[in-house]
């Protein structure tokens, strides 16, 4: 039995969930998403628009593995449609800058050229640059996986290094610093 799969998913008032064939349509104030769920292996019930339960039709090894994952994907889609997801990245380093115009993000990370990244339409970007503080990139979306992938892509341009602590950090991330060379 799956511990996560057994828990019912509550549906907020602003979110609408509809089942059509193998697809589950989730629509809310932040956006809409369609998930494909294998109805040959799983039984999906929407109880009076208040909660959703998902149960496997067969009790074999494969359905046990997929039960909790399908429940989590459905729960993430409902939370994303209701509240949305947010990732905050901080640029730590001398001369590191970020600016955006629409869905185009331009980052200066000390390379010989600026990095220009075209973001998907589902991800909203905001850059915050205050005097005396590190520049911040704020990404918001209704899709948890997409906002995480975009944040990871931006972070991959300059991962934090342990000697000076420079790089692109997630909000609240702590870097364990290493001691440099000690010579006599």
């Amino acid at each position: 039995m799956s511990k996560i799969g057994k828990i019912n998913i509550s549906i907020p008032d602003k979110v609408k969930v509809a089942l059509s064939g193998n697809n589950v349509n989730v629509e809310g104030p932040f956006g809409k998403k369609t998930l494909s769920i294998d109805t040959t292996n799983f039984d999906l019930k929407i109880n009076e628009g208040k909660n959703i339960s998902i149960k496997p039709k067969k009790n074999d090894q494969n359905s046990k593995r997929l039960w909790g994952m399908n429940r989590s994907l459905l729960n993430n889609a409902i939370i994303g449609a209701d509240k949305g997801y947010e990732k905050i990245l901080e640029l730590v380093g001398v001369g590191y800058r970020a600016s955006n115009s629409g869905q185009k993000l331009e980052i200066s990370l000390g390379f010989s050229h600026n990095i220009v990244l075209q973001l998907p339409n589902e991800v909203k970007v905001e850059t915050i640059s205050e005097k005396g503080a590190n520049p911040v990139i704020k990404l918001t979306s209704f899709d948890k996986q997409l906002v995480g992938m975009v944040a990871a892509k931006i972070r991959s341009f300059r991962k934090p290094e342990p000697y000076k602590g420079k790089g692109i950090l997630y909000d609240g991330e702590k870097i364990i610093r290493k001691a440099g060379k000690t010579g006599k």
Side-chain angles (χ1 to χ4, degrees):
M1 295 294 284
S2 172
K3 292 179 184 178
I4 295 172
K6 286 191 272 184
I7 304 169
N8 287 348
I9 304 167
S10 61
I11 303 172
D13 294 333
K14 303 173 197 168
V15 178
K16 293 181 180 129
V17 179
L19 179 66
S20 61
N22 282 355
N23 295 329
V24 178
N25 299 319
V26 180
E27 188 172 347
F30 273 82
K32 59 182 176 180
K33 186 169 181 172
T34 303
L35 291 170
S36 178
I37 294 197
D38 187 13
T39 55
T40 59
N41 291 332
F42 295 101
D43 187 27
L44 191 76
K45 290 183 183 171
I46 301 172
N47 304 326
E48 301 169 10
K50 300 283 184 208
N51 60 19
I52 300 173
S53 65
I54 184 168
K55 302 252 189 277
K57 290 182 179 176
K58 297 179 261 181
N59 198 8
D60 61 343
Q61 211 49 32
N62 193 31
S63 61
K64 283 182 187 178
R65 274 194 302 244
L66 296 174
W67 187 10
M69 183 195 69
N70 282 321
R71 189 250 179 226
S72 293
L73 289 174
L74 193 56
N75 189 39
N76 289 344
I78 290 172
I79 292 171
D82 184 35
K83 299 175 187 168
Y85 289 100
E86 176 180 88
K87 287 278 189 183
I88 298 173
L89 300 166
E90 184 178 2
L91 281 64
V92 179
V94 177
Y96 289 7
R97 289 184 295 276
S99 64
N100 71 307
S101 58
Q103 292 300 101
K104 196 172 278 193
L105 179 66
E106 187 171 348
I107 312 169
S108 174
L109 297 173
F111 296 122
S112 61
H113 58 284
N114 290 347
I115 298 168
V116 178
L117 187 66
Q118 181 68 35
L119 300 177
N121 292 332
E122 295 87 10
V123 178
K124 305 291 180 246
V125 63
E126 180 184 352
T127 54
I128 304 164
S129 298
E130 296 178 6
K131 190 166 181 140
N134 292 326
V136 172
I137 301 171
K138 187 175 174 183
L139 303 167
T140 55
S141 178
F142 61 88
D143 192 348
K144 185 176 186 177
Q145 180 183 0
L146 186 64
V147 77
M149 281 177 32
V150 170
K153 174 78 173 172
I154 293 170
R155 187 175 189 262
S156 72
F157 294 132
R158 185 71 86 169
K159 288 187 178 173
E161 55 98 13
Y163 295 101
K164 292 183 180 178
K166 293 167 44 173
I168 301 175
L169 284 71
Y170 290 118
D171 188 40
E173 183 180 10
K174 301 284 185 219
I175 296 183
I176 299 171
R177 301 287 295 269
K178 289 183 179 179
K181 287 184 179 179
T182 55
K184 289 187 179 187

